[in-house]
Amino acid sequence: MILNYVVTIVDRDRGKQLTDIYSALGLKLTMSMLGGGTATAEHLAMYGLAETQKVIVAAVADADATKELIKRTKKQMSIDIPGNGILMAIPLKSVGGGRTLAYLTDNKTTGGAPEMKFNHELIIVILNEGYSDMVMSAARPAGAGGGTVLHAKGTGARQGEKFLSVSLADEKDIIYIVATGSTKADIMRAINEKAGPDTKAGAICFSLPISAVAGLRVLDEE
């Protein structure tokens, strides 16, 4: 059974429209989160823009629901046009038990395996709060087009627990960066070298495969 964790990021004033689309499809474990764009203050001032607030909506969907979600967000929100948001489908490798699988699929537990060929990947960067500009300044010259920032708090198992010199329980920022397969390694290397664990940003990054994406400057194959 092919299952995806489908994440869509749009401007916050379009969040209700997006959640309505997810709800209409009856997707399981739909969650909404707040975030912000990563445009620099200088860039925003240059064009007289305010900081863009984002909403991130995510849910688990099977292959058919994923295709339908992409179709509806394209038709109703023009998600395939750069600047209107981005949708990404991240394939799930496993779920926690048969009951969980039955819940997520409405007892439809048959189907094929995901095709393990990915043209894009989602880079997830966990960093100390307030250093997103430092991370993006490293990532952009390496090929990153932009990112979305979420705020979080670490939950280290023990008070004062650290990884290298990075506290795991402090306030954190999380940056989502969608990258092509050809630029992913360069972006992650640049982040590690210029904003990694031995810097004030304390950034740690990893990547996940994306099986389908809409909203980038790429040609969609229908």
Side-chain angles (χ1 to χ4, degrees):
M1 184 67 172
I2 300 174
L3 289 176
N4 297 301
Y5 187 59
V6 188
V7 181
T8 310
I9 303 170
V10 297
D11 289 348
R12 199 170 294 181
D13 60 1
R14 306 180 77 200
K16 177 62 165 56
Q17 184 181 7
L18 180 60
T19 56
D20 285 348
I21 294 174
Y22 271 71
S23 297
L25 289 172
L27 298 180
K28 304 296 185 181
L29 297 179
T30 299
M31 295 171 285
S32 297
M33 300 158 277
L34 301 180
T38 58
T40 64
E42 292 80 5
H43 202 168
L44 292 171
M46 183 184 304
Y47 294 101
L49 301 174
E51 182 179 358
T52 304
Q53 299 299 307
K54 302 291 184 181
V55 63
I56 302 96
V57 180
V60 175
D62 63 21
D64 290 338
T66 299
K67 291 179 181 178
E68 184 62 23
L69 181 59
I70 293 173
K71 178 181 177 181
R72 293 191 187 189
T73 53
K74 284 182 176 182
K75 182 177 181 180
Q76 298 178 32
M77 302 186 70
S78 301
I79 202 75
D80 53 328
I81 299 176
N84 285 337
I86 185 168
L87 179 151
M88 59 194 111
I90 302 166
L92 300 187
K93 183 178 181 181
S94 60
V95 299
R99 290 184 179 180
T100 301
L101 180 60
Y103 168 73
L104 293 175
T105 63
D106 286 330
N107 293 306
K108 300 174 184 177
T109 56
T110 59
E115 182 181 355
M116 301 304 288
K117 180 181 178 182
F118 308 107
N119 295 321
H120 295 86
E121 296 192 34
L122 173 64
I123 300 173
I124 298 177
V125 190
I126 302 172
L127 60 143
N128 294 328
E129 181 186 17
Y131 289 92
S132 59
D133 284 350
M134 183 176 180
V135 170
M136 292 307 301
S137 292
R140 285 192 180 94
T148 299
V149 182
L150 295 85
H151 186 64
K153 182 176 177 60
T155 56
R158 295 179 295 275
Q159 185 68 26
E161 185 177 4
K162 291 187 175 183
F163 170 73
L164 300 178
S165 60
V166 181
S167 171
L168 300 181
D170 289 342
E171 298 294 313
K172 298 292 181 183
D173 286 338
I174 300 172
I175 302 178
Y176 286 170
I177 301 171
V178 177
T180 62
S182 61
T183 61
K184 180 262 298 184
D186 290 340
I187 294 170
M188 294 179 69
R189 186 180 303 112
I191 292 172
N192 187 57
E193 291 175 353
K194 299 178 182 179
D198 58 345
T199 70
K200 291 182 178 180
I204 299 167
C205 60
F206 53 91
S207 70
L208 297 172
I210 297 174
S211 58
V213 64
L216 295 180
R217 294 183 183 276
V218 294
L219 293 177
D220 291 330
E221 292 184 1
E222 296 296 333

